[in-house]
Amino acid sequence: MNNLINVVAVIPFYNEEKTISQVVEKTLPFVDKIILVDDGSTDNTVKNIPSNEKVILIKKTQNRGKGYSLNQGFKKSFELNSKITLTLDADLQHDPNFIPYFFKKIVNYDIVIGNRMHSLKKMPIQRIMSNKITSFLMTLKTRQKILDSQSGYRAYKTEILPEILPFYNGFEAESEILVNAARKNYKIGFVDIPTIYGEEVSKMKALQTIIGFFKVMLK
């Protein structure tokens, strides 16, 4: 790649000391910059971040939520004048080797989302039901076919980010982004990705997330 910032990966994290190094190392070959947003981690995640000139760390002392972290990363990517902004999680549920598939797809879309719902064998039943319901409701809300509303593995054309930034700070922000994008008539596409669940404990609080989702639906 040349000196232009073509692709930036935004990776929010909270207490991911076991996986952060692998995620960064596997993502680096595909991007110009990685923006890591620390959501107030209390473990050794920051110490385990590989030293690399392509890595930018935004560190927060308080846990504000994934939506807040995404906002911080998006604004930084826009400041860097990047062309494409990728988002992926820091717990290895999103395989960076699939990044090129997002590049191919986003030529024809404004947002591309990694779709796990094509293969449900490895997805917990409660996640399947939750995702099917929220994706159906988001399809009605956005008037675009939403296959996997809960996937945080996404690619955005950076130029649209200022218009779709979320207001909410929690996990519901990723649904809010889709609503904001649909209102601007931006095209949302999907690319199939594998479903990966390890031994990680979800940081998503069910009741809080449900309440947040319905706030977005009523927005």
Side-chain angles (χ1 to χ4, degrees):
M1 292 184 176
N2 55 32
N3 292 328
L4 293 174
I5 306 297
N6 291 317
V7 183
V8 166
V10 173
I11 306 177
F13 68 87
Y14 176 68
N15 292 347
E16 299 291 358
E17 61 182 8
K18 294 181 180 179
T19 56
I20 192 68
S21 178
Q22 292 183 66
V23 172
V24 170
E25 295 288 2
K26 290 181 177 181
T27 303
L28 279 170
F30 301 107
V31 302
D32 296 293
K33 295 285 184 182
I34 294 178
I35 300 171
L36 297 175
V37 187
D38 178 11
D39 192 19
S41 293
T42 56
D43 66 356
N44 292 314
T45 308
V46 172
K47 294 180 180 178
N48 292 341
I49 295 171
S51 178
N52 191 292
E53 62 181 8
K54 292 168 66 173
V55 176
I56 298 170
L57 175 63
I58 298 175
K59 187 168 175 56
K60 298 188 271 94
T61 56
Q62 289 183 314
N63 181 248
R64 301 289 296 271
K66 189 176 185 182
Y68 186 89
S69 295
L70 287 173
N71 253 332
Q72 298 300 300
F74 286 159
K75 290 175 182 177
K76 186 64 177 178
S77 181
F78 189 77
E79 287 176 11
L80 292 171
N81 294 315
S82 68
K83 301 301 182 185
I84 299 172
T85 302
L86 291 158
T87 60
L88 62 161
D89 292 345
D91 58 4
L92 286 178
Q93 285 195 17
H94 300 154
D95 184 353
N97 288 317
F98 278 75
I99 290 175
Y101 294 93
F102 287 83
F103 293 161
K104 292 179 182 178
K105 196 82 173 186
I106 203 166
V107 173
N108 298 311
Y109 294 91
D110 299 296
I111 301 173
V112 176
I113 301 172
N115 172 38
R116 302 159 296 172
M117 301 301 285
H118 65 100
S119 178
L120 303 177
K121 292 181 181 179
K122 296 182 180 180
M123 185 176 288
I125 185 64
Q126 67 272 19
R127 291 288 185 92
I128 295 174
M129 296 306 298
S130 170
N131 206 336
K132 282 183 175 290
I133 292 170
T134 57
S135 295
F136 172 73
L137 292 174
M138 287 300 296
T139 295
L140 296 179
K141 180 73 173 179
T142 63
R143 297 183 181 180
Q144 296 192 49
K145 182 63 177 177
I146 305 298
L147 301 176
D148 188 341
S149 69
Q150 297 180 5
S151 175
Y153 199 175
R154 301 180 179 183
Y156 301 86
K157 287 181 177 174
T158 304
E159 63 184 2
I160 76 169
L161 291 179
E163 299 183 79
I164 63 173
L165 292 176
F167 170 80
Y168 295 109
N169 290 336
F171 287 98
E172 69 272 13
E174 289 174 318
S175 295
E176 183 187 2
I177 287 170
L178 300 186
V179 172
N180 292 345
R183 284 179 174 163
K184 296 290 184 178
N185 294 316
Y186 289 128
K187 294 176 63 179
I188 303 169
F190 292 83
V191 61
D192 289 348
I193 59 170
T195 302
I196 303 172
Y197 285 101
E199 299 178 356
E200 68 281 340
V201 177
S202 175
K203 299 177 179 67
M204 188 181 296
K205 297 178 181 178
L207 180 59
Q208 184 178 334
T209 303
I210 291 170
I211 292 172
F213 176 78
F214 280 103
K215 283 182 179 180
V216 171
M217 290 298 296
L218 296 172
K219 183 177 177 181

